[in-house]
Amino acid sequence: MKRYKKIIALVVVVVFSIGIYYIQPLFGPNKKPEFSVVAKSGDKSLTENMSITGYYYENSQLGIGTEMKITPGKTIYQSEKSYLDQLKSFGNINEKISQLQEDYRGFMRGKNSDLANFYEDEMILAYAEITTDDFSTISKDSKITIDVLNKQTNEESSFSVNLPKADEYGYMYVEDVQVANNQLIVITNGYRVNSSNSQDEQHLYSISIPKEKIEKDEKIQLDLIDSKGKQIQYVELMNASTSITPANFLVYRVELNDDSTNMDMYEENQVMTLPVYELIGVNVETGEQFLISGSEELNRHGIAAILSTESDNLYFYKKDGANLSLYEYDLNQKELTEVKVGELSAAQQAMFNEGVIVQVREDIMYFVTAYKIGDNELQMLAFDSNSGELVFEGIIEEKTDYPAKREEVHIENILFEQ
Amino acid sequence: MKNYLKLVNFEFNRCAKLYFVLIGLTAVSQLIAVFVESRRYLSQVNVALYQDKIPKAQFLSETGEMSMFWIVNNAWFSLPIIICITAMLFYSFFIWYIEWMGKNSFIYRLLMLPTARMNIFWSKLTTIALMIFGLIAAQLALLLIEGQLLEWLVTNEFRVDLSIQQLSESSYYLAILIPKSFIAFIMHYGAGFGMLLIVFTVILLERSFRFKGMLLGLVFGTVAFLLFFLPTIASEVVGFKGLYPEELLIAELVLGLMVIGLSSWTSHYLLNKKVTV
C-alpha cells in the first residue's frame, strides 16, 4: 500500500476538490437576490399574473450576469437552470417557442426560434421563412417557404413560392405572419439594391394556401409621410414580437432625421436634432394603409407607443414637467383621445426621468423603471387609460444576503401569463 | 486489477517528479500574477487619489475595483496553464514512444508481462486522466489561495470578491477548463478523452505498421473525428437543423460511445496481434 501513496494522495485531492467545486453550490445559500412586486397602494390583483423579464448583472463592469424573470412566486435566473434546460433554451429563452416545441414537436423541428415567423389561431399554426444563401442574403433562387399545421386534424402542408424580383433585394426577413381573407400574409422587411440608392422596403405578400401562390404583393407606402427635408432612418413593425396571435392592424414606426444631420456629421459645433417618428397603420383585412396623424406630441413620443392587439388601440404617454398624459389611438375609428393623469409626485417624476418600460393590458397602462443602477428603486405604476386614475403603485423589492457592489438590473418587458 | 493498478502506479511514478515541478511552476507563476496585478492596481490608485486628486468614487466608477478577473487575464496566470496543456499533449504521445526508446526497448518487458495487454493501454490512459484532473484540482485550490492572497493585498473598498463559479462565467478559457455545471464538465472532458483514445489508437497503428500505419492512422483519426462530431458538423457546417439540442446531445453521446468502442477494439487488436518491437 505504501508504494501507492503518491497516486492515492492524487486521487483523494482530485475527488475532493472537484467534488467540492460541483457539490458546494448545490447546498450553499442562493447568492442572487429575490425580487418581488410589493404594493404601496391600489389593486394588488393587477400584478397576480404578471412577470417581469430583464437582465441581472452581478457585476456590470465585468459583464457577469444572466437573464432573469421576476414571477409572483420567485425570481428565475437563466444561469441557475440545469445544463440541459439551458441547452434546450440556448439562443432562445422565449417560453412561447418552448411551449410550441412541446405541443407540436414534429412540426417545430428544424424551424427558426423567432416568433416573428409564426402565426397561430384556433385552427392553424403557420410558419413562413425566406430562404437565403450562405451569407444570409437574398439570391435569385430565394423562396418563401410555408408550413401550415392544421391543429384539428394534425395535418401538415408545406410548399414554397418564388420570392418575386428576388434578384433586386439584398436582404429580407419575415417580420410577422398573419391571416386575412383565407390567405396567409407574410410581412417582410428588407432593402432593394437594384437602383443607385438602395432603399428599405416592406412587403405584405398575400399567399393562397390551396393554390400555393402569391395572390397579392403590397408595399408599405412610405410616401404617406411628409418627409420633406427629412430622411427616413428606419422602418420597423411595432406589433409585439412576443406574441403570434392574430392582429387586425399592423403599425409601422418610421424614424426620420433631419436631412442636414448626416451631412453635418463631421463638422464642428454640429447641432444634433432628435429624430421624429411617424406611424403608419395597416388594416390587415382590407389592406388599407393610413398615416396615424395625431398631435405633434404623439409623433415625438412615438417611441413609447404600445400597440394592443386585444383592443386595436395604440397607447402613448407624455410627461410634461410634473404632468402625465395618456393617449389612446383607436385604429378602427382613427381617433385620438387624451386623458390627463395629473401631477406626479417627486418620486414618480424621478421614475419617468430615469426611463420606463411600458405595457398595456385590458386598458391598464403599466410603467416600471427601466434600470436599477446604484441605489434607485424599481418603481411600478399602473393607470386606467380611460380615466387616468392611478390603480396601482408599488415597488419591485430586492432581497439579498449578499449585496453585490456592481449590481445592475435592466428591465426588458412586462408579461402577463394567459 | 492488481496488475492494472501496479501499471498505473508505475506509469505515474515515472513522471511524478516532472509533474509536481509543473504544478509548482504554475503555483509560483500564478502567485506572481496576483502580486503583479495588485501592485499595478494599487499604484494606479495612488497616482489617481494622491497625485491627480481624483475622488475615490470617481476613480472606482472609471477604473473599477480590483478582482480575480484581472488576475486570471494576466499572462503570468495563463502562461503556465498553456504550458501545462502543451505538456499534457506532448506527454500523451511520449507515454507510448518512450517504450520504444533506447537500445533495450522497454516495450519488450511490458508485452511479456503475464497480464492482459490492454492493461498497458488502460493504465496509460488512466495516468494521463489522473494528471489532467490533478492539474484541474490544483488550479481550483490555487484559485482559492490566490483569492485569499488578493484579500490581504487589496483592501475591501477597492476590491470585489468573485467566486470561482463567477470567474468561470467571466473567463472564456476557465469556462472550458472548469465549467460551472457538472454535466458540462463531463461533456468537455468526455470529448477530450474520446480524442485521446483516438490518438492512442493512431499511435498504435503507426507502431504496428510504421509508415503505412501512419497513413492508416491518419485515415482512422479523420474518420473517427468526423464520426464523433457528425451531428455538430451537420448542424454548424451543413446547416441541418433537424435535431433539437437535447437530441443533438444524445446523438453526440451515442456516437462518442461508438468511437470509444471502435478505438478500444482496434487498439486491443493491434496490441495483441500486430504491434512489433
Side-chain angles (χ1 to χ4, degrees):
Chain A
M1 212 53 189
K2 214 174 173 187
R3 65 176 174 176
Y4 294 121
K5 64 175 190 270
K6 266 189 228 161
I7 208 146
I8 290 173
L10 184 66
V11 171
V12 169
V13 169
V14 165
V15 173
F16 195 65
S17 19
I18 297 179
I20 286 185
Y21 177 70
Y22 286 110
I23 291 169
Q24 174 246 333
L26 300 179
F27 300 106
N30 189 1
K31 293 204 166 182
K32 291 196 177 75
E34 275 295 317
F35 292 92
S36 55
V37 179
V38 176
K40 278 185 186 167
S41 63
D43 183 2
K44 173 78 172 119
S45 68
L46 288 171
T47 65
E48 264 169 15
N49 297 322
M50 176 194 281
S51 54
I52 297 157
T53 59
Y55 201 91
Y56 174 75
Y57 283 102
E58 280 169 78
N59 188 312
S60 56
Q61 196 189 23
L62 304 178
I64 304 173
T66 179
E67 285 99 356
M68 67 173 219
K69 187 174 177 186
I70 304 167
T71 66
K74 65 187 287 227
T75 308
I76 302 161
Y77 293 96
Q78 173 74 1
S79 70
E80 284 179 357
K81 287 185 180 169
S82 74
Y83 180 73
L84 278 179
D85 280 344
Q86 286 190 43
L87 199 73
K88 276 185 199 171
S89 58
F90 179 72
N92 79 81
I93 51 157
N94 193 291
E95 282 171 14
K96 181 67 194 171
I97 287 286
S98 305
Q99 188 62 47
L100 289 174
Q101 285 179 345
E102 235 169 73
D103 296 347
Y104 311 106
R105 199 162 170 85
F107 180 78
M108 293 297 286
R109 187 175 289 280
K111 295 195 165 49
N112 277 347
S113 50
D114 189 348
L115 280 177
N117 297 69
F118 290 90
Y119 166 87
E120 187 185 28
D121 60 23
E122 282 164 6
M123 297 295 291
I124 63 162
L125 174 63
Y127 174 81
E129 187 187 338
I130 296 177
T131 55
T132 54
D133 65 13
D134 294 343
F135 304 101
S136 299
T137 49
I138 296 292
S139 67
K140 63 178 178 8
D141 304 322
S142 284
K143 293 179 188 318
I144 303 175
T145 57
I146 309 283
D147 295 289
V148 183
L149 172 76
N150 184 321
K151 286 162 69 173
Q152 257 76 36
T153 60
N154 265 336
E155 266 175 54
E156 283 180 33
S157 60
S158 300
F159 62 93
S160 60
V161 290
N162 288 328
L163 182 70
K165 298 176 191 162
D167 50 350
E168 292 180 13
Y169 294 95
Y171 179 60
M172 193 185 268
Y173 61 96
V174 175
E175 222 175 7
D176 199 3
V177 181
Q178 292 293 339
V179 166
N181 309 315
N182 292 322
Q183 287 178 344
L184 197 71
I185 307 197
V186 179
I187 297 138
T188 68
N189 204 340
Y191 65 85
R192 266 175 105 108
V193 283
N194 71 328
S195 52
S196 53
N197 55 337
S198 68
Q199 89 188 96
D200 283 9
E201 258 185 32
Q202 295 71 34
H203 285 258
L204 272 66
Y205 297 105
S206 302
I207 299 170
S208 158
I209 296 173
K211 290 184 194 161
E212 298 188 1
K213 65 178 247 199
I214 297 176
E215 296 278 6
K216 208 161 60 173
D217 170 11
E218 284 170 297
K219 259 197 309 186
I220 296 299
Q221 297 155 20
L222 295 176
D223 51 9
L224 285 170
I225 293 166
D226 174 21
S227 56
K228 213 183 264 176
K230 293 192 184 78
Q231 235 180 13
I232 293 174
Q233 286 303 308
Y234 74 77
V235 185
E236 68 168 338
L237 189 66
M238 282 180 58
N239 294 55
S241 57
T242 48
S243 130
I244 56 170
T245 48
N248 296 324
F249 289 91
L250 303 174
V251 175
Y252 283 91
R253 175 164 55 207
V254 184
E255 185 182 315
L256 298 141
N257 267 347
D258 267 355
D259 245 350
S260 54
T261 314
N262 283 344
M263 295 195 306
D264 291 346
M265 204 74 154
Y266 302 104
E267 284 178 19
E268 278 181 33
N269 305 325
Q270 56 166 317
V271 183
M272 287 296 287
T273 47
L274 287 172
V276 288
Y277 298 91
E278 293 278 4
L279 301 172
I280 294 174
V282 182
N283 185 319
V284 177
E285 202 176 326
T286 63
E288 181 205 3
Q289 297 184 23
F290 55 94
L291 191 68
I292 298 173
S293 51
S295 62
E296 267 294 299
E297 285 86 2
L298 191 145
N299 285 338
R300 248 191 291 131
H301 290 78
I303 197 161
I306 293 290
L307 173 67
S308 164
T309 46
E310 59 185 19
S311 62
D312 293 342
N313 283 342
L314 264 175
Y315 295 88
F316 310 83
Y317 75 91
K318 184 182 80 168
K319 185 186 153 284
D320 198 357
N323 294 305
L324 181 73
S325 302
L326 307 178
Y327 297 87
E328 195 178 290
Y329 184 91
D330 185 329
L331 287 157
N332 280 309
Q333 304 300 322
K334 301 188 180 79
E335 266 177 17
L336 181 77
T337 43
E338 181 185 353
V339 176
K340 286 197 189 303
V341 166
E343 211 165 290
L344 297 170
S345 71
Q348 291 168 344
Q349 284 181 55
M351 169 189 175
F352 279 89
N353 294 339
E354 282 158 12
V356 287
I357 300 292
V358 195
Q359 186 57 283
V360 180
R361 193 185 188 230
E362 289 170 357
D363 285 346
I364 306 282
M365 270 182 104
Y366 296 84
F367 297 89
V368 63
T369 318
Y371 304 100
K372 183 183 186 306
I373 301 172
D375 294 331
N376 69 325
E377 251 181 357
L378 288 170
Q379 297 186 71
M380 182 180 280
L381 299 174
F383 297 96
D384 185 322
S385 67
N386 297 318
S387 63
E389 183 196 348
L390 178 66
V391 287
F392 179 83
E393 182 169 16
I395 57 161
I396 300 176
E397 195 179 61
E398 178 180 352
K399 276 190 187 147
T400 178
D401 296 330
Y402 299 90
K405 266 185 185 171
R406 291 270 174 184
E407 178 194 84
E408 272 180 28
V409 180
H410 294 206
I411 301 295
E412 277 155 18
N413 209 346
I414 306 168
L415 303 172
F416 292 92
E417 310 294 334
Q418 300 299 323
Chain B
M1 190 64 186
K2 206 177 170 198
N3 287 328
Y4 160 75
L5 283 176
K6 270 186 190 166
L7 277 169
V8 173
N9 192 45
F10 164 75
E11 287 286 356
F12 182 72
N13 281 331
R14 243 177 178 182
C15 59
K17 275 188 192 142
L18 253 165
Y19 178 66
F20 288 122
V21 167
L22 207 58
I23 291 181
L25 267 176
T26 308
V28 171
S29 179
Q30 293 195 348
L31 290 175
I32 291 175
V34 181
F35 279 106
V36 169
E37 274 298 323
S38 50
R39 297 293 298 173
R40 184 156 63 198
Y41 181 80
L42 287 176
S43 73
Q44 246 181 309
V45 172
N46 285 332
V47 170
L49 265 60
Y50 301 113
Q51 282 181 25
D52 302 341
K53 305 283 180 210
I54 295 172
K56 192 174 89 183
Q58 188 189 337
F59 171 80
L60 283 176
S61 81
E62 283 168 3
T63 315
E65 290 89 354
M66 178 68 192
S67 69
M68 280 297 288
F69 177 81
W70 304 111
I71 289 157
V72 299
N73 285 308
N74 183 288
W76 283 100
F77 187 93
S78 43
L79 202 64
I81 294 180
I82 294 167
I83 292 172
C84 287
I85 294 172
T86 317
M88 283 295 106
L89 283 174
F90 174 76
Y91 197 69
S92 302
F93 287 87
F94 191 70
I95 201 168
W96 282 105
Y97 283 102
I98 191 175
E99 315 295 9
W100 274 268
M101 279 182 177
K103 240 181 182 177
N104 299 312
S105 297
F106 195 72
I107 190 75
Y108 252 133
R109 289 162 69 186
L110 277 181
L111 293 177
M112 297 297 277
L113 285 176
T115 174
R117 285 187 175 179
M118 271 312 267
N119 274 343
I120 304 169
F121 183 89
W122 295 123
S123 67
K124 287 185 188 301
L125 192 77
T126 312
T127 308
I128 300 276
L130 263 179
M131 288 165 78
I132 291 172
F133 288 138
L135 286 172
I136 296 298
Q139 185 59 81
L140 286 170
L142 276 171
L143 281 169
L144 284 179
I145 297 167
E146 288 152 11
Q148 191 61 53
L149 183 64
L150 187 69
E151 282 186 33
W152 289 332
L153 292 172
V154 182
T155 56
N156 187 33
E157 54 187 336
F158 289 106
R159 195 188 69 236
V160 168
D161 295 326
L162 300 175
S163 66
I164 301 178
Q165 277 85 0
Q166 284 175 320
L167 266 179
S168 152
E169 251 180 81
S170 63
S171 158
Y172 179 70
Y173 67 93
L174 279 184
I176 294 171
L177 291 177
I178 35 174
K180 255 181 75 182
S181 115
F182 187 61
I183 297 180
F185 178 83
I186 302 272
M187 301 283 297
H188 291 190
Y189 288 95
F193 288 118
M195 293 289 106
L196 191 64
L197 221 74
I198 296 172
V199 168
F200 275 16
T201 310
V202 172
I203 292 171
L204 285 177
L205 274 167
E206 191 277 331
R207 289 288 84 192
S208 302
F209 306 107
R210 306 292 150 137
F211 184 71
K212 258 194 232 163
M214 213 190 282
L215 294 177
L216 267 173
L218 203 71
V219 173
F220 178 85
T222 315
V223 169
F225 183 84
L226 288 179
L227 187 65
F228 194 24
F229 289 107
L230 188 67
T232 316
I233 294 168
S235 120
E236 298 302 320
V237 183
V238 186
F240 172 72
K241 303 282 182 206
L243 289 181
Y244 285 112
E246 61 272 27
E247 294 171 345
L248 202 69
L249 194 74
I250 294 168
E252 276 300 0
L253 210 68
V254 171
L255 286 171
L257 289 174
M258 274 172 67
V259 168
I260 287 171
L262 188 69
S263 270
S264 316
W265 183 82
T266 314
S267 302
H268 179 264
Y269 173 75
L270 292 170
L271 262 177
N272 282 304
K273 307 269 185 211
K274 294 288 174 193
V275 90
T276 54
V277 182

